[in-house]
Amino acid sequence: MLSEAEIEAFRARLLAMQTELEDLRQISQGETEPVILDQQSVGRLSRMDAMQRQAMGAEQGRRRGHDLQRIAAALKRIEEEEFGACVECGDDIAKGRLNVDPAAALCIRCVPN
């Protein structure tokens, strides 16, 4: 069972993580814009490089979005006083696991292989 002080420390970490991810989302927003296929101004390799950067930016954006959803769910569990309990079986999630990933929703036994 987590103490109120531990829960508040996890809340602060989750909010900091959320802010950092939102800031990164704003900074990298231009990376997913369409690549212009004008062969006169950009060479073939430069276009391919730009398309690869665009794909990588889109994937990073998808991962950030997923992480933001996990963080929002963890913050909601804190508000509902369910933080630290596995959403699958209800057992306590180990503090060590929460220290590594404060957004963890499952205990180690319930994590799919």
Side-chain angles (χ1 to χ4, degrees):
M1 194 89 195
L2 297 170
S3 71
E4 285 298 316
E6 290 172 320
I7 291 173
E8 286 307 312
F10 282 120
R11 180 195 315 266
R13 279 186 59 200
L14 287 163
L15 290 171
M17 291 166 60
Q18 186 178 46
T19 300
E20 181 180 357
L21 287 170
E22 289 290 350
D23 290 346
L24 286 171
R25 179 184 269 181
Q26 293 288 22
I27 291 169
S28 63
Q29 197 168 15
E31 293 177 355
T32 58
E33 293 181 7
V35 177
I36 299 171
L37 297 176
D38 181 9
Q39 291 187 2
Q40 306 303 346
S41 63
V42 180
R44 182 177 178 174
L45 293 177
S46 295
R47 273 195 326 281
M48 289 172 62
D49 185 49
M51 291 170 70
Q52 183 179 20
R53 280 194 313 271
Q54 177 191 25
M56 288 171 41
E59 177 61 20
Q60 287 175 341
R62 187 194 65 74
R63 287 182 186 177
R64 282 187 195 113
H66 180 259
D67 288 344
L68 285 167
Q69 288 175 345
R70 292 179 65 242
I71 290 167
L75 290 168
K76 184 176 180 185
R77 288 192 301 276
I78 288 173
E79 294 303 317
E80 295 174 351
E81 298 180 358
E82 296 175 357
F83 183 79
C86 176
V87 297
E88 196 70 29
C89 70
D91 287 347
D92 287 344
I93 299 172
K95 288 180 191 176
R97 179 164 171 72
L98 290 171
N99 282 329
V100 171
D101 180 11
L106 301 173
C107 69
I108 197 68
R109 288 184 305 274
C110 292
V111 174
N113 293 332

